């Protein structure tokens, strides 16, 4: 989270200073999209464009228009009493003196504003001092092209420069330009201030004009909020004025912006609404923003919201992924991103330009990196757990492992229930161990344990433990079953069959010394966990367990394969038909070592007398 906040904070710092052109490139198409979602707006009626269009050039006979024609247009406009006549044309070449005098005389009779143009190394001045003022960020003009002296002596002058994005779309109009030690107002600011009969007051992060506060972006730049395609601002052909057809009501009390809209004139810009927007309409748009206050708001307060979101969203994304690492988390993050884009769109419609790109750029890389890393780590952890689980399954029966997964507290509290117990043991194994190599002994035990495990699992039992050359088997764990006794008698027969077959495969030097014995009983047991904190095992205790173990001795004493209690025989009922494969004795009473009373038992021998059973 700290790294995500640092990443978002670094992007936020660059955004706060306006030094993050890469994100501005991404922000540009998103801004255009928001313009299209907003749709065209009705332009205010305070500004009118007097267009020097193709018809005007055709009537005048040449382009650029002679200054005498411009003088006539200004003179005629003056009679119609506009607030301001702002001429978006450059008069930087000397020109014929008589024409300059005629234009100067016309301008003297009208409240005129002429255009100047600056050449900049950068559109916004970068300042690395954190205690610098906004004035230090005003763009510095390397060269400034001013109107010729006779004209600028009788009219105000303003810079017509605009700041465009990499695609050429005008995004801001610098309201102030530095040249040497002086500040030159922009063309729109000069026109708006003359129209209001007040000089603008420069305040931190805004400009006061005619009692209104114009909130500005970095370096006192004015964000542009286009009204629609070309012609959205009322446009009148200069031909109407030259012919005398223009009515006074069309321009009286309004700001008239005169400029070229001629095809191929060159002073055009692409906008979200129109690929070819005349520069004069861009200037008229900025003038309308200054006089009506309907422009976009992107000042320090708006950028502060961007900064806050750039720091908050990455932290929330990391927290969300840390809380629940799944596709749901990524879906929620994507939903938050869409919600933010939606909020920026709604704010844009109301004239607030929040950055859609900055919070997303601050959020997506940490979220993707953190999420991918956690998923990779989780996958590695899952693989490790799977390996551990596969390993542990070799030490615990699968049925017991599955139950412990579902219920980790299984048998922490002892459980009393009816169950069938089987004990099986190899006879003669101790003596054999004295003569065989340890590796051979291990191989014999491995094969024996493997066959016991396979047959017990097949009969739905549980090998509670292997004890050297023997095993304790429980039918009734981890879940009791009405068929536990049936499964137990079936297991007795199958174990005899498999063990006999296995002994027959061993070398005669081994098989001649080995035999087996099985004891089986049914009754009440207490199932529980035994052991310490470092290791526990599940086992069964009680008289049933002791009897089943002692019955192995009875089987060995009578040279039988299996000694089973009458209790197990009765509980298994019809399932005891499995004993028909061998010889089942009638029930009789016998004493059990360590037990006070006799026990009713049965003996069973498989029908393979050629295999010896060592006592």
């Amino acid at each position: 989270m700290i790294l995500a906040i640092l990443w978002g904070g670094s992007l936020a710092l660059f955004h706060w200073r306006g030094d993050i052109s890469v994100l501005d490139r991404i922000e540009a198409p998103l801004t255009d999209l928001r313009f299209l979602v907003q749709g065209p707006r009705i332009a205010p009626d305070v500004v009118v464009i007097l267009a020097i269009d193709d018809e005007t050039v055709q009537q005048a006979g040449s382009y650029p228009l002679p200054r005498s024609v411009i003088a006539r247009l200004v003179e005629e406009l003056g009679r119609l009493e506009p607030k301001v006549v702002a001429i978006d044309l450059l008069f930087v070449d000397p020109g014929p003196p008589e024409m300059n005098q005629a234009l100067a005389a016309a301008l003297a009779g009208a409240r005129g504003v002429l255009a100047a143009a600056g050449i900049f190394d950068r559109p916004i001045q970068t300042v690395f001092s954190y205690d610098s003022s906004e004035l230090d960020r005003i763009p510095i003009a390397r060269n400034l092209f001013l109107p010729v002296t006779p004209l600028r002596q009788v009219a105000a002058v303003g810079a017509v420069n605009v700041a465009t994005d990499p695609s050429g779309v005008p995004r801001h109009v610098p309201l102030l330009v530095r040249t040497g030690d002086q500040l030159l107002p922009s063309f729109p600011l000069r026109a708006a201030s003359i129209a209001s009969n007040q000089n603008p007051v420069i305040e931190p992060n805004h400009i006061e004009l005619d009692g209104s506060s114009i909130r500005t972006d970095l370096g006192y730049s004015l964000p542009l909020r286009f009204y629609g395609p070309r012609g959205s601002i009322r446009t009148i052909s200069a031909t109407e004025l030259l012919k005398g057809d223009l009515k006074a009501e069309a321009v009286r009390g309004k700001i008239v912006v005169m400029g070229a809209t001629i095809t191929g004139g060159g002073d055009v810009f692409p906008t979200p609404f129109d690929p070819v927007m005349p520069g004069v309409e861009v200037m008229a748009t900025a003038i309308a923003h200054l006089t009506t206050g309907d422009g976009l708001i992107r000042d320090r307060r708006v950028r502060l919201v961007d900064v806050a979101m750039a720091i908050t969203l990455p932290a929330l994304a990391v927290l969300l992924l840390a809380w629940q690492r799944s596709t749901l988390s990524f879906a929620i993050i994507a939903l938050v991103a869409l919600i933010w884009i939606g909020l920026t769109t709604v704010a844009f419609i109301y004239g607030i330009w929040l950055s859609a790109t900055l919070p997303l750029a601050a959020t997506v890389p940490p979220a993707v990196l953190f999420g991918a890393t956690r998923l990779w780590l989780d996958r590695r952890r899952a693989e490790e757990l799977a390996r551990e689980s596969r390993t542990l399954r070799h030490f615990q029966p699968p049925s017991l492992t599955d139950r412990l997964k579902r219920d980790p507290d299984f048998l922490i509290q002892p459980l009393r229930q009816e169950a069938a117990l089987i004990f099986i043991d190899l006879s003669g194994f101790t003596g054999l161990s004295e003569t065989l190599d340890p590796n051979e002994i291990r191989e014999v035990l491995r094969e024996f344990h493997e066959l016991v495990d396979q047959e017990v699992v097949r009969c739905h039992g549980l090998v509670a433990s292997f004890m050297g050359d023997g095993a304790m088997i429980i039918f009734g764990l981890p879940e009791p079953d009405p068929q536990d006794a049936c499964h137990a008698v079936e297991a007795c027969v199958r174990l005899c069959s498999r063990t006999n077959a296995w002994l027959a495969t061993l070398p005669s030097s081994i098989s001649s010394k080995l035999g087996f014995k099985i004891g089986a009983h049914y009754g009440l047991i207490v199932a529980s966990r035994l052991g310490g904190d470092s290791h526990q095992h599940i086992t069964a205790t009680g008289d049933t367990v002791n009897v089943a173990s002692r019955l192995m001795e009875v089987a060995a004493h009578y040279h039988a394969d299996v000694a089973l209690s009458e209790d197990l025989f009765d509980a298994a009922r019809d399932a005891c038909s499995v004993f028909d494969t061998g010889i089942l004795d009638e029930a009789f009473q016998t004493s059990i070592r360590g037990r006070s009373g006799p026990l009713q038992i049965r003996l069973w021998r498989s029908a393979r007398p050629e295999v010896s059973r060592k006592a």
Side-chain angles (χ1 to χ4, degrees), residues 34 41 55 69 103 116 211 218 251 271 313 339 357 361 365 373 436 488 537 550 603:
R34 282 174 280 182
R41 299 182 301 127
E55 186 180 358
V69 177
L103 181 54
L218 302 176
V251 297
T271 71
L313 287 183
I339 291 175
T357 307
T373 302
L436 290 181
H537 66 281
R550 296 290 186 255
L603 298 176

Side-chain angles (χ1 to χ4, degrees), residues 10 22 56 65 101 108 121 141 158 168-169 186 228 235 245 263 337 358 374 389 408 468 483 518 560 603:
S10 63
V22 174
T56 305
L65 294 185
Q101 292 176 0
D121 294 324
V169 176
S186 69
T235 303
D245 296 336
T263 304
L358 176 65
R374 290 308 299 260
S389 179
Q483 301 297 315
I518 296 175
L603 298 176

Side-chain angles (χ1 to χ4, degrees), residues 257-278:
V257 185
M258 184 189 303
T261 62
I262 181 174
T263 304
D267 184 23
V268 293
F269 299 92
T271 71
F273 297 109
D274 199 316
V276 180
M277 174 78 77

Side-chain angles (χ1 to χ4, degrees), residues 440-452:
E440 293 180 297
I441 293 296
R442 175 193 173 278
E443 187 63 22
V444 171
L445 285 178
R446 185 191 65 77
E447 293 178 0
F448 175 64
H449 289 178
E450 184 175 354
L451 76 86
V452 170

Side-chain angles (χ1 to χ4, degrees), residues 37-57:
V37 171
Q38 168 192 281
R41 299 182 301 127
I42 298 176
D45 197 33
V46 297
V47 180
V48 176
I49 296 174
L50 187 68
I52 300 175
D53 52 14
D54 294 339
E55 186 180 358
T56 305
V57 172

